[in-house]
Amino acid sequence: MNGSTALVTDIFNTRRQSSFFSYLHSSFRQQTIPELVDRGDSCFHDGNYEDALHHYNNALKQERYSASNDDTLQASRILRKIGLSLSRTGDSFAAMNSLEDALRIQQEKLGPGSEDAAETTAEMLKILDEIRVQSGVGERQFVKGDNGSVKAIDVGTNLLEWGEYKEAEVVLKDCLDSMNDDDNAKIDEKIKVLGAMAELDRAQGKYDEAKERYLEVLKTAKTMNANSDDEVDISVITSIAGYAEILRKAGDLWQAEALHKKVRNMLMASKFTQKSEGEAGDDTALHLAISHTQLGCTVFALKKYEEAWQEHKSALNIRLRVLEVTDALVSESFNYCAETLNAMGREADALPLSLQAVEIRSREFGTSHPAYAHAICVLAKCYLGVGRAQDAMPLIEKCLEICEMVFNDNHANLIPNLIIKGDILKSMGELEKALGTYQRALSIHKANFKAGQQEFQLEECQRKTEDVMTAIKNEMAFGPYDPIFNREETVCAGTPVIVITDIGRDIDDAMAIVMLSTLKKMFVINPLAVIVTLAPVKDRACLARMVLDSLGMQDVPVGIGTDVGCPEGPMSLRGFNGVFQENQFQFERASSLMARVLTDAEPKSVKLLCLANLKDIFELTVKEDALFRTKVKEVVVMGGASYSEARQQLIPDETASNNSCDLEAARQVYAECQKNNIPTTTVSRYAPYGCPLCISFLDDMMKTNHLLAGEIRNANFKAMQELWKKVNMPSWMPGRGKLPSRCNREWFLEFFQVKVDRETDDLREIWSESALYLYDSIATLCCLDAYVDLHFSPKLYTIENTAHRLIGTPASSCVANRDYLVQEMEGLLHQTFMLSIEGINVKPIKDDRTNDEDGEKKEKSRTRERETYDVVDEKKETV
């Protein structure tokens, strides 16, 4: 064996270009990570980049297999080498992805200013140049000095955007010095550098220095454009806006408002002129969006919240029209819209928008950037506003951790974050800690601002400090502090439902939650709780929490259910990782949560909707038998059943996936329901076969700009890709997993109703045509008798004078009108995403029954109620 190894080694050393010999050599024994990295380095230096990638990828696999955490520094260094190798092969975009992963790990482990992070950033900038050239944009502009040194202006601005303030300052100063020494330097480039340095000073709280730089920029821009015939020059507008931003940050809000309004009006006039001449473009629109944003922030600081809401909404509309929803500028508008709605007392409407902002910023900037810190601060305010202070605290602590790492100890940006932390502590009854937090905010304010600057913020700090001191005195005199929330009362209407789900296995359960949200907004279903089951149950609970919050169901509690004997199911769907990786939610056990909500419910009013195994319902029948018998109105199951003539009983289908996870639990639940005369509705897998949606509907959902819609679409496409690969494999191949031999290529095309005229292995060709079966969404609809009566013809079985319905049999789907049901489902699902992003929740008006003699008041209330439901009907009709 040793001789063979030596022989192969000699061949490998003399013929490095052969990937076959490289593979043959590595197959003799398991190589260590350092050996694989060394071989990759050797191949890289010799120009054999494919071989280098082979070794680096193997090293990365071993590192992640051996480490308890994928995000190790060793992994980041290997990822950087993979990125460099990919860039040499010409795959610039894949290289950027690899380097971004490496940079994220380095910033988290070593900090934003580390040497490793700086080297990776420099490599990314080089690759960005390559991408710009490939896409036809052209190379970046450089500034050349007398000494022959070359400094890229964009390097400084990119470092500024990444929050690398010290490195940005060095680069930009070098650029400016180089220009000042060069008599032939271009004025427009000097304006760009001065503007970037002014922005850098502003970001670091050096407001006086920033003012001087912006005034210099404005003076230079006016000189350059003195002889210009253009009606509006963007450099002048940018300079005015920058100066106004400095005034805003320094607390001169009224002057800042006047200047920002001037800038906005100039841009709107310019846009109107260009539009009339047929020249209006995206650049002008984006500049206008920035102006709307800056003015919105200014009037927000002046507590003109309605005006701020209109400005931020205008910016969001422009950016969604011009940019992708995942763009950083779109996240900025989402964030400011959420912050403004929060200040207006509409925290529930703000929460979905805030989640969008946090998720996008975590992807774009990472979780150590000030922009991410601002987003999670707003999210913390949203959670506090909806009464979930325990979920807000980890977010605000992470926010302050980032800010204290990036800014100096007494930076003015810490003040609003400290105020929010004080509010959270106060709401949790920790008054002494709240007082200390408010007092620190107050001292930072006095250190940063002069008399008359940021008066509103100063008044807020003083008022909150006085309030908590009063609360402490009252606590000493009268007993423990009892926080009072002035939240808007949640309207509870519709059929009470408890949902049991194994969300995350596929898109089906998530789509059912989307359907649930629609029906809740229509006030026909009132979800009391969502119970998650199947390992990893904590991950599924976090996913359920995020999905509910993003769809406006922040008031629905999530419980962790029982474990089952099934193997751990993979999480094929994930969403909002940028949120719950920082926020460790606390969940109640399913048994106590269900017992609590059933205790508060009316007799025979609650429906149990089971979209997973039945073990949690079985546990309920054992531990809380009285509650189950007296409070449960019906059990709706996504599974399968059949009627036994011999036993005159309904028995669960053993082949149904949900039943098979815990067949004994399924048998006991059906037996208990029939024994206690509790009706059941069983939706089998055959029901959706009668009303398949077109899979391209998922593409249409993405147009709502809701991130969850994109996650669902991408997860389903990935699952379809995996299935397509498996069905095209021979039945004996291990890669098919547990897929039955009957599930081959022909089965796939028939089951998903796809017609292919020629042989193809490209799933994208058939994506727009294949069928989409939403099993759990149909089961959710069946919680409402009106939908069952309208859309289905179920099999009815009467057992002990109690009706039991079965929807879907091998002989019939039991769907009454396929086209009408498909149209209804598509409309309901699409409506939820639209309403969640718009931040609009139509709420019914309650009749005022406390003043019967006031007929006029009652009539007005009824009129408003009719108008409200007209709006609901109109929206439903439109969809």
Side-chain angles (χ1 to χ4, degrees), residues 725-764:
K725 290 178 183 178
K726 290 180 179 180
V727 299
N728 282 282
M729 294 179 183
S731 58
W732 51 265
M733 188 169 288
R736 286 174 57 92
K738 296 181 179 180
L739 195 66
S741 59
R742 62 180 176 83
C743 296
N744 53 22
R745 180 190 180 91
E746 288 69 29
W747 166 85
F748 182 98
L749 298 178
E750 180 182 357
F751 182 76
F752 291 105
Q753 302 180 17
V754 179
K755 295 180 181 179
V756 178
D757 296 331
R758 58 183 176 82
E759 291 294 317
T760 180
D761 289 325
D762 185 9
L763 183 62
R764 296 182 185 277

mmCIF file of all heavy atoms in Angstrom, residues 725-764:
data_model
loop_
_atom_site.group_PDB
_atom_site.id
_atom_site.type_symbol
_atom_site.label_atom_id
_atom_site.label_comp_id
_atom_site.label_asym_id
_atom_site.label_seq_id
_atom_site.Cartn_x
_atom_site.Cartn_y
_atom_site.Cartn_z
ATOM 1 N N LYS A 725 -34.919 14.996 -9.181
ATOM 2 C CA LYS A 725 -33.680 14.243 -9.291
ATOM 3 C C LYS A 725 -33.891 12.784 -8.894
ATOM 4 O O LYS A 725 -33.384 11.861 -9.536
ATOM 5 C CB LYS A 725 -32.601 14.870 -8.402
ATOM 6 C CG LYS A 725 -32.088 16.216 -8.889
ATOM 7 C CD LYS A 725 -31.069 16.786 -7.917
ATOM 8 C CE LYS A 725 -30.598 18.169 -8.345
ATOM 9 N NZ LYS A 725 -29.639 18.750 -7.357
ATOM 10 N N LYS A 726 -34.641 12.578 -7.811
ATOM 11 C CA LYS A 726 -34.835 11.219 -7.302
ATOM 12 C C LYS A 726 -35.655 10.361 -8.263
ATOM 13 O O LYS A 726 -35.328 9.192 -8.477
ATOM 14 C CB LYS A 726 -35.513 11.265 -5.938
ATOM 15 C CG LYS A 726 -34.623 11.800 -4.825
ATOM 16 C CD LYS A 726 -35.348 11.830 -3.496
ATOM 17 C CE LYS A 726 -34.452 12.350 -2.390
ATOM 18 N NZ LYS A 726 -35.162 12.381 -1.076
ATOM 19 N N VAL A 727 -36.722 10.921 -8.819
ATOM 20 C CA VAL A 727 -37.577 10.105 -9.693
ATOM 21 C C VAL A 727 -36.868 9.760 -10.991
ATOM 22 O O VAL A 727 -37.274 8.819 -11.690
ATOM 23 C CB VAL A 727 -38.913 10.831 -9.994
ATOM 24 C CG1 VAL A 727 -39.690 11.081 -8.722
ATOM 25 C CG2 VAL A 727 -38.697 12.123 -10.766
ATOM 26 N N ASN A 728 -35.819 10.503 -11.350
ATOM 27 C CA ASN A 728 -35.063 10.191 -12.551
ATOM 28 C C ASN A 728 -33.924 9.215 -12.283
ATOM 29 O O ASN A 728 -33.207 8.834 -13.209
ATOM 30 C CB ASN A 728 -34.506 11.481 -13.174
ATOM 31 C CG ASN A 728 -35.560 12.244 -13.954
ATOM 32 O OD1 ASN A 728 -35.895 11.886 -15.081
ATOM 33 N ND2 ASN A 728 -36.107 13.280 -13.348
ATOM 34 N N MET A 729 -33.743 8.818 -11.014
ATOM 35 C CA MET A 729 -32.734 7.817 -10.669
ATOM 36 C C MET A 729 -33.317 6.408 -10.824
ATOM 37 O O MET A 729 -34.527 6.214 -10.678
ATOM 38 C CB MET A 729 -32.271 8.002 -9.217
ATOM 39 C CG MET A 729 -31.519 9.282 -8.935
ATOM 40 S SD MET A 729 -31.075 9.363 -7.164
ATOM 41 C CE MET A 729 -30.304 10.970 -7.096
ATOM 42 N N PRO A 730 -32.475 5.396 -11.095
ATOM 43 C CA PRO A 730 -32.947 4.009 -11.078
ATOM 44 C C PRO A 730 -33.468 3.640 -9.691
ATOM 45 O O PRO A 730 -33.031 4.191 -8.684
ATOM 46 C CB PRO A 730 -31.692 3.203 -11.440
ATOM 47 C CG PRO A 730 -30.781 4.179 -12.108
ATOM 48 C CD PRO A 730 -31.057 5.513 -11.497
ATOM 49 N N SER A 731 -34.404 2.725 -9.621
ATOM 50 C CA SER A 731 -35.049 2.376 -8.353
ATOM 51 C C SER A 731 -34.078 1.795 -7.335
ATOM 52 O O SER A 731 -34.330 1.852 -6.139
ATOM 53 C CB SER A 731 -36.179 1.369 -8.604
ATOM 54 O OG SER A 731 -35.671 0.202 -9.231
ATOM 55 N N TRP A 732 -32.940 1.236 -7.801
ATOM 56 C CA TRP A 732 -31.988 0.621 -6.882
ATOM 57 C C TRP A 732 -30.997 1.617 -6.282
ATOM 58 O O TRP A 732 -30.253 1.289 -5.358
ATOM 59 C CB TRP A 732 -31.173 -0.470 -7.608
ATOM 60 C CG TRP A 732 -30.560 -0.005 -8.904
ATOM 61 C CD1 TRP A 732 -31.085 -0.144 -10.152
ATOM 62 C CD2 TRP A 732 -29.317 0.697 -9.063
ATOM 63 N NE1 TRP A 732 -30.281 0.416 -11.102
ATOM 64 C CE2 TRP A 732 -29.168 0.945 -10.457
ATOM 65 C CE3 TRP A 732 -28.331 1.131 -8.197
ATOM 66 C CZ2 TRP A 732 -28.063 1.613 -10.984
ATOM 67 C CZ3 TRP A 732 -27.239 1.803 -8.716
ATOM 68 C CH2 TRP A 732 -27.107 2.047 -10.089
ATOM 69 N N MET A 733 -30.989 2.835 -6.785
ATOM 70 C CA MET A 733 -29.962 3.789 -6.357
ATOM 71 C C MET A 733 -30.248 4.299 -4.948
ATOM 72 O O MET A 733 -31.369 4.724 -4.648
ATOM 73 C CB MET A 733 -29.891 4.958 -7.345
ATOM 74 C CG MET A 733 -28.720 5.905 -7.085
ATOM 75 S SD MET A 733 -28.477 7.092 -8.430
ATOM 76 C CE MET A 733 -27.805 6.014 -9.694
ATOM 77 N N PRO A 734 -29.242 4.303 -4.053
ATOM 78 C CA PRO A 734 -29.459 4.748 -2.666
ATOM 79 C C PRO A 734 -29.915 6.203 -2.559
ATOM 80 O O PRO A 734 -30.583 6.576 -1.599
ATOM 81 C CB PRO A 734 -28.079 4.552 -2.018
ATOM 82 C CG PRO A 734 -27.388 3.551 -2.872
ATOM 83 C CD PRO A 734 -27.884 3.778 -4.263
ATOM 84 N N GLY A 735 -29.553 7.014 -3.541
ATOM 85 C CA GLY A 735 -29.903 8.424 -3.486
ATOM 86 C C GLY A 735 -31.394 8.707 -3.500
ATOM 87 O O GLY A 735 -31.824 9.820 -3.192
ATOM 88 N N ARG A 736 -32.224 7.700 -3.826
ATOM 89 C CA ARG A 736 -33.679 7.893 -3.833
ATOM 90 C C ARG A 736 -34.260 7.915 -2.424
ATOM 91 O O ARG A 736 -35.409 8.327 -2.242
ATOM 92 C CB ARG A 736 -34.341 6.753 -4.630
ATOM 93 C CG ARG A 736 -34.153 6.864 -6.130
ATOM 94 C CD ARG A 736 -34.713 5.633 -6.823
ATOM 95 N NE ARG A 736 -36.117 5.424 -6.516
ATOM 96 C CZ ARG A 736 -37.131 5.903 -7.233
ATOM 97 N NH1 ARG A 736 -36.883 6.652 -8.302
ATOM 98 N NH2 ARG A 736 -38.376 5.650 -6.904
ATOM 99 N N GLY A 737 -33.471 7.512 -1.427
ATOM 100 C CA GLY A 737 -33.981 7.494 -0.055
ATOM 101 C C GLY A 737 -35.097 6.482 0.091
ATOM 102 O O GLY A 737 -35.006 5.339 -0.370
ATOM 103 N N LYS A 738 -36.205 6.898 0.740
ATOM 104 C CA LYS A 738 -37.338 6.011 0.984
ATOM 105 C C LYS A 738 -38.422 6.130 -0.084
ATOM 106 O O LYS A 738 -39.540 5.648 0.098
ATOM 107 C CB LYS A 738 -37.943 6.302 2.355
ATOM 108 C CG LYS A 738 -37.001 6.029 3.518
ATOM 109 C CD LYS A 738 -37.677 6.316 4.852
ATOM 110 C CE LYS A 738 -36.743 6.023 6.009
ATOM 111 N NZ LYS A 738 -37.399 6.295 7.329
ATOM 112 N N LEU A 739 -38.096 6.765 -1.207
ATOM 113 C CA LEU A 739 -39.085 6.948 -2.268
ATOM 114 C C LEU A 739 -39.453 5.594 -2.875
ATOM 115 O O LEU A 739 -38.578 4.831 -3.282
ATOM 116 C CB LEU A 739 -38.514 7.864 -3.342
ATOM 117 C CG LEU A 739 -39.501 8.460 -4.342
ATOM 118 C CD1 LEU A 739 -40.453 9.424 -3.635
ATOM 119 C CD2 LEU A 739 -38.755 9.187 -5.453
ATOM 120 N N PRO A 740 -40.758 5.260 -2.903
ATOM 121 C CA PRO A 740 -41.168 3.958 -3.461
ATOM 122 C C PRO A 740 -40.745 3.814 -4.914
ATOM 123 O O PRO A 740 -40.605 4.806 -5.641
ATOM 124 C CB PRO A 740 -42.697 3.978 -3.325
ATOM 125 C CG PRO A 740 -42.980 5.008 -2.278
ATOM 126 C CD PRO A 740 -41.904 6.034 -2.400
ATOM 127 N N SER A 741 -40.563 2.596 -5.356
ATOM 128 C CA SER A 741 -40.107 2.339 -6.722
ATOM 129 C C SER A 741 -41.122 2.805 -7.763
ATOM 130 O O SER A 741 -40.751 3.148 -8.891
ATOM 131 C CB SER A 741 -39.821 0.847 -6.908
ATOM 132 O OG SER A 741 -40.998 0.083 -6.634
ATOM 133 N N ARG A 742 -42.418 2.850 -7.381
ATOM 134 C CA ARG A 742 -43.442 3.291 -8.335
ATOM 135 C C ARG A 742 -43.315 4.776 -8.666
ATOM 136 O O ARG A 742 -43.837 5.249 -9.677
ATOM 137 C CB ARG A 742 -44.843 3.017 -7.774
ATOM 138 C CG ARG A 742 -45.143 3.772 -6.498
ATOM 139 C CD ARG A 742 -46.542 3.496 -5.957
ATOM 140 N NE ARG A 742 -46.778 4.157 -4.689
ATOM 141 C CZ ARG A 742 -47.145 5.426 -4.559
ATOM 142 N NH1 ARG A 742 -47.327 6.154 -5.649
ATOM 143 N NH2 ARG A 742 -47.323 5.967 -3.373
ATOM 144 N N CYS A 743 -42.636 5.528 -7.795
ATOM 145 C CA CYS A 743 -42.492 6.976 -7.999
ATOM 146 C C CYS A 743 -41.309 7.233 -8.929
ATOM 147 O O CYS A 743 -40.188 7.512 -8.496
ATOM 148 C CB CYS A 743 -42.291 7.686 -6.668
ATOM 149 S SG CYS A 743 -43.703 7.552 -5.565
ATOM 150 N N ASN A 744 -41.562 7.101 -10.213
ATOM 151 C CA ASN A 744 -40.534 7.333 -11.221
ATOM 152 C C ASN A 744 -40.866 8.589 -12.019
ATOM 153 O O ASN A 744 -41.757 9.356 -11.653
ATOM 154 C CB ASN A 744 -40.397 6.118 -12.144
ATOM 155 C CG ASN A 744 -41.745 5.714 -12.736
ATOM 156 O OD1 ASN A 744 -42.684 6.522 -12.802
ATOM 157 N ND2 ASN A 744 -41.862 4.467 -13.133
ATOM 158 N N ARG A 745 -40.159 8.797 -13.111
ATOM 159 C CA ARG A 745 -40.365 9.988 -13.928
ATOM 160 C C ARG A 745 -41.797 10.078 -14.445
ATOM 161 O O ARG A 745 -42.422 11.146 -14.412
ATOM 162 C CB ARG A 745 -39.366 9.961 -15.100
ATOM 163 C CG ARG A 745 -39.469 11.142 -16.048
ATOM 164 C CD ARG A 745 -38.604 10.888 -17.289
ATOM 165 N NE ARG A 745 -38.686 11.987 -18.214
ATOM 166 C CZ ARG A 745 -37.865 13.026 -18.221
ATOM 167 N NH1 ARG A 745 -36.892 13.089 -17.328
ATOM 168 N NH2 ARG A 745 -37.989 13.983 -19.116
ATOM 169 N N GLU A 746 -42.343 8.967 -14.902
ATOM 170 C CA GLU A 746 -43.709 8.970 -15.444
ATOM 171 C C GLU A 746 -44.720 9.299 -14.350
ATOM 172 O O GLU A 746 -45.699 10.026 -14.588
ATOM 173 C CB GLU A 746 -44.031 7.605 -16.064
ATOM 174 C CG GLU A 746 -43.302 7.334 -17.375
ATOM 175 C CD GLU A 746 -41.804 7.148 -17.190
ATOM 176 O OE1 GLU A 746 -41.400 6.680 -16.085
ATOM 177 O OE2 GLU A 746 -41.038 7.476 -18.110
ATOM 178 N N TRP A 747 -44.500 8.748 -13.146
ATOM 179 C CA TRP A 747 -45.391 9.076 -12.027
ATOM 180 C C TRP A 747 -45.356 10.569 -11.725
ATOM 181 O O TRP A 747 -46.406 11.189 -11.507
ATOM 182 C CB TRP A 747 -44.961 8.286 -10.790
ATOM 183 C CG TRP A 747 -45.594 8.797 -9.531
ATOM 184 C CD1 TRP A 747 -46.814 8.465 -9.031
ATOM 185 C CD2 TRP A 747 -45.037 9.771 -8.625
ATOM 186 N NE1 TRP A 747 -47.070 9.168 -7.879
ATOM 187 C CE2 TRP A 747 -45.996 9.978 -7.600
ATOM 188 C CE3 TRP A 747 -43.851 10.484 -8.580
ATOM 189 C CZ2 TRP A 747 -45.772 10.869 -6.553
ATOM 190 C CZ3 TRP A 747 -43.623 11.369 -7.546
ATOM 191 C CH2 TRP A 747 -44.577 11.553 -6.536
ATOM 192 N N PHE A 748 -44.173 11.155 -11.721
ATOM 193 C CA PHE A 748 -44.034 12.590 -11.436
ATOM 194 C C PHE A 748 -44.838 13.411 -12.438
ATOM 195 O O PHE A 748 -45.600 14.313 -12.060
ATOM 196 C CB PHE A 748 -42.551 12.975 -11.491
ATOM 197 C CG PHE A 748 -42.263 14.424 -11.159
ATOM 198 C CD1 PHE A 748 -41.853 14.789 -9.889
ATOM 199 C CD2 PHE A 748 -42.402 15.421 -12.118
ATOM 200 C CE1 PHE A 748 -41.586 16.111 -9.580
ATOM 201 C CE2 PHE A 748 -42.141 16.743 -11.819
ATOM 202 C CZ PHE A 748 -41.733 17.089 -10.539
ATOM 203 N N LEU A 749 -44.671 13.119 -13.716
ATOM 204 C CA LEU A 749 -45.354 13.905 -14.745
ATOM 205 C C LEU A 749 -46.868 13.739 -14.654
ATOM 206 O O LEU A 749 -47.620 14.700 -14.865
ATOM 207 C CB LEU A 749 -44.858 13.484 -16.129
ATOM 208 C CG LEU A 749 -43.360 13.720 -16.406
ATOM 209 C CD1 LEU A 749 -43.000 13.213 -17.789
ATOM 210 C CD2 LEU A 749 -43.013 15.193 -16.266
ATOM 211 N N GLU A 750 -47.307 12.552 -14.289
ATOM 212 C CA GLU A 750 -48.750 12.328 -14.180
ATOM 213 C C GLU A 750 -49.318 12.944 -12.908
ATOM 214 O O GLU A 750 -50.368 13.596 -12.937
ATOM 215 C CB GLU A 750 -49.038 10.820 -14.202
ATOM 216 C CG GLU A 750 -50.525 10.495 -14.088
ATOM 217 C CD GLU A 750 -50.787 9.004 -14.070
ATOM 218 O OE1 GLU A 750 -49.823 8.220 -14.202
ATOM 219 O OE2 GLU A 750 -51.971 8.606 -13.919
ATOM 220 N N PHE A 751 -48.628 12.739 -11.786
ATOM 221 C CA PHE A 751 -49.141 13.224 -10.507
ATOM 222 C C PHE A 751 -49.215 14.749 -10.472
ATOM 223 O O PHE A 751 -50.192 15.321 -9.993
ATOM 224 C CB PHE A 751 -48.248 12.723 -9.364
ATOM 225 C CG PHE A 751 -48.719 13.127 -7.998
ATOM 226 C CD1 PHE A 751 -49.796 12.481 -7.407
ATOM 227 C CD2 PHE A 751 -48.110 14.152 -7.305
ATOM 228 C CE1 PHE A 751 -50.253 12.841 -6.149
ATOM 229 C CE2 PHE A 751 -48.541 14.529 -6.041
ATOM 230 C CZ PHE A 751 -49.618 13.867 -5.467
ATOM 231 N N PHE A 752 -48.172 15.406 -10.989
ATOM 232 C CA PHE A 752 -48.147 16.867 -10.986
ATOM 233 C C PHE A 752 -48.727 17.474 -12.260
ATOM 234 O O PHE A 752 -48.607 18.677 -12.492
ATOM 235 C CB PHE A 752 -46.722 17.376 -10.755
ATOM 236 C CG PHE A 752 -46.211 17.101 -9.369
ATOM 237 C CD1 PHE A 752 -45.293 16.094 -9.138
ATOM 238 C CD2 PHE A 752 -46.681 17.823 -8.287
ATOM 239 C CE1 PHE A 752 -44.827 15.829 -7.857
ATOM 240 C CE2 PHE A 752 -46.223 17.565 -7.006
ATOM 241 C CZ PHE A 752 -45.300 16.562 -6.784
ATOM 242 N N GLN A 753 -49.332 16.614 -13.075
ATOM 243 C CA GLN A 753 -50.089 17.051 -14.244
ATOM 244 C C GLN A 753 -49.234 17.896 -15.191
ATOM 245 O O GLN A 753 -49.615 18.999 -15.600
ATOM 246 C CB GLN A 753 -51.328 17.822 -13.812
ATOM 247 C CG GLN A 753 -52.243 17.021 -12.901
ATOM 248 C CD GLN A 753 -53.477 17.783 -12.462
ATOM 249 O OE1 GLN A 753 -53.844 18.794 -13.053
ATOM 250 N NE2 GLN A 753 -54.135 17.299 -11.421
ATOM 251 N N VAL A 754 -48.042 17.361 -15.523
ATOM 252 C CA VAL A 754 -47.113 18.074 -16.388
ATOM 253 C C VAL A 754 -47.025 17.358 -17.723
ATOM 254 O O VAL A 754 -46.972 16.135 -17.784
ATOM 255 C CB VAL A 754 -45.712 18.140 -15.740
ATOM 256 C CG1 VAL A 754 -44.736 18.857 -16.655
ATOM 257 C CG2 VAL A 754 -45.795 18.848 -14.399
ATOM 258 N N LYS A 755 -47.004 18.128 -18.795
ATOM 259 C CA LYS A 755 -46.845 17.577 -20.129
ATOM 260 C C LYS A 755 -45.496 18.040 -20.691
ATOM 261 O O LYS A 755 -45.234 19.234 -20.770
ATOM 262 C CB LYS A 755 -47.967 18.036 -21.047
ATOM 263 C CG LYS A 755 -49.345 17.518 -20.637
ATOM 264 C CD LYS A 755 -50.423 18.004 -21.593
ATOM 265 C CE LYS A 755 -51.802 17.489 -21.166
ATOM 266 N NZ LYS A 755 -52.866 17.973 -22.064
ATOM 267 N N VAL A 756 -44.662 17.079 -21.043
ATOM 268 C CA VAL A 756 -43.357 17.397 -21.605
ATOM 269 C C VAL A 756 -43.261 16.705 -22.958
ATOM 270 O O VAL A 756 -43.431 15.494 -23.060
ATOM 271 C CB VAL A 756 -42.220 16.922 -20.669
ATOM 272 C CG1 VAL A 756 -40.864 17.213 -21.289
ATOM 273 C CG2 VAL A 756 -42.333 17.614 -19.322
ATOM 274 N N ASP A 757 -42.972 17.492 -24.010
ATOM 275 C CA ASP A 757 -42.928 16.939 -25.361
ATOM 276 C C ASP A 757 -41.610 16.250 -25.676
ATOM 277 O O ASP A 757 -41.510 15.490 -26.613
ATOM 278 C CB ASP A 757 -43.164 18.056 -26.385
ATOM 279 C CG ASP A 757 -44.568 18.640 -26.244
ATOM 280 O OD1 ASP A 757 -45.468 17.889 -25.823
ATOM 281 O OD2 ASP A 757 -44.757 19.830 -26.538
ATOM 282 N N ARG A 758 -40.577 16.570 -24.887
ATOM 283 C CA ARG A 758 -39.268 15.968 -25.167
ATOM 284 C C ARG A 758 -38.577 15.653 -23.846
ATOM 285 O O ARG A 758 -38.994 16.096 -22.784
ATOM 286 C CB ARG A 758 -38.411 16.918 -26.005
ATOM 287 C CG ARG A 758 -38.188 18.266 -25.323
ATOM 288 C CD ARG A 758 -37.398 19.210 -26.226
ATOM 289 N NE ARG A 758 -37.251 20.517 -25.629
ATOM 290 C CZ ARG A 758 -36.334 20.834 -24.727
ATOM 291 N NH1 ARG A 758 -35.497 19.892 -24.306
ATOM 292 N NH2 ARG A 758 -36.246 22.049 -24.233
ATOM 293 N N GLU A 759 -37.511 14.893 -23.948
ATOM 294 C CA GLU A 759 -36.760 14.534 -22.743
ATOM 295 C C GLU A 759 -36.094 15.788 -22.166
ATOM 296 O O GLU A 759 -35.510 16.589 -22.901
ATOM 297 C CB GLU A 759 -35.688 13.492 -23.077
ATOM 298 C CG GLU A 759 -36.258 12.135 -23.451
ATOM 299 C CD GLU A 759 -36.967 11.494 -22.274
ATOM 300 O OE1 GLU A 759 -36.430 11.545 -21.165
ATOM 301 O OE2 GLU A 759 -38.055 10.933 -22.481
ATOM 302 N N THR A 760 -36.187 15.951 -20.882
ATOM 303 C CA THR A 760 -35.565 17.113 -20.249
ATOM 304 C C THR A 760 -35.222 16.782 -18.806
ATOM 305 O O THR A 760 -35.886 15.977 -18.174
ATOM 306 C CB THR A 760 -36.504 18.336 -20.282
ATOM 307 O OG1 THR A 760 -35.838 19.426 -19.639
ATOM 308 C CG2 THR A 760 -37.805 18.069 -19.554
ATOM 309 N N ASP A 761 -34.164 17.398 -18.324
ATOM 310 C CA ASP A 761 -33.800 17.294 -16.913
ATOM 311 C C ASP A 761 -33.891 18.660 -16.239
ATOM 312 O O ASP A 761 -33.448 18.830 -15.108
ATOM 313 C CB ASP A 761 -32.371 16.750 -16.763
ATOM 314 C CG ASP A 761 -32.305 15.268 -17.132
ATOM 315 O OD1 ASP A 761 -33.286 14.558 -16.855
ATOM 316 O OD2 ASP A 761 -31.291 14.851 -17.707
ATOM 317 N N ASP A 762 -34.433 19.629 -16.929
ATOM 318 C CA ASP A 762 -34.520 20.989 -16.402
ATOM 319 C C ASP A 762 -35.891 21.211 -15.786
ATOM 320 O O ASP A 762 -36.893 21.280 -16.484
ATOM 321 C CB ASP A 762 -34.269 22.001 -17.516
ATOM 322 C CG ASP A 762 -34.219 23.429 -16.985
ATOM 323 O OD1 ASP A 762 -34.212 23.588 -15.747
ATOM 324 O OD2 ASP A 762 -34.187 24.363 -17.799
ATOM 325 N N LEU A 763 -35.930 21.322 -14.464
ATOM 326 C CA LEU A 763 -37.202 21.498 -13.765
ATOM 327 C C LEU A 763 -37.835 22.843 -14.088
ATOM 328 O O LEU A 763 -39.058 22.974 -14.057
ATOM 329 C CB LEU A 763 -36.985 21.378 -12.255
ATOM 330 C CG LEU A 763 -38.240 21.476 -11.372
ATOM 331 C CD1 LEU A 763 -39.200 20.347 -11.683
ATOM 332 C CD2 LEU A 763 -37.868 21.464 -9.904
ATOM 333 N N ARG A 764 -37.023 23.837 -14.427
ATOM 334 C CA ARG A 764 -37.583 25.163 -14.697
ATOM 335 C C ARG A 764 -38.535 25.141 -15.891
ATOM 336 O O ARG A 764 -39.442 25.948 -15.984
ATOM 337 C CB ARG A 764 -36.450 26.172 -14.951
ATOM 338 C CG ARG A 764 -35.577 26.386 -13.736
ATOM 339 C CD ARG A 764 -34.491 27.422 -13.993
ATOM 340 N NE ARG A 764 -33.600 27.516 -12.851
ATOM 341 C CZ ARG A 764 -33.831 28.237 -11.776
ATOM 342 N NH1 ARG A 764 -34.947 28.935 -11.706
ATOM 343 N NH2 ARG A 764 -32.976 28.274 -10.775
#
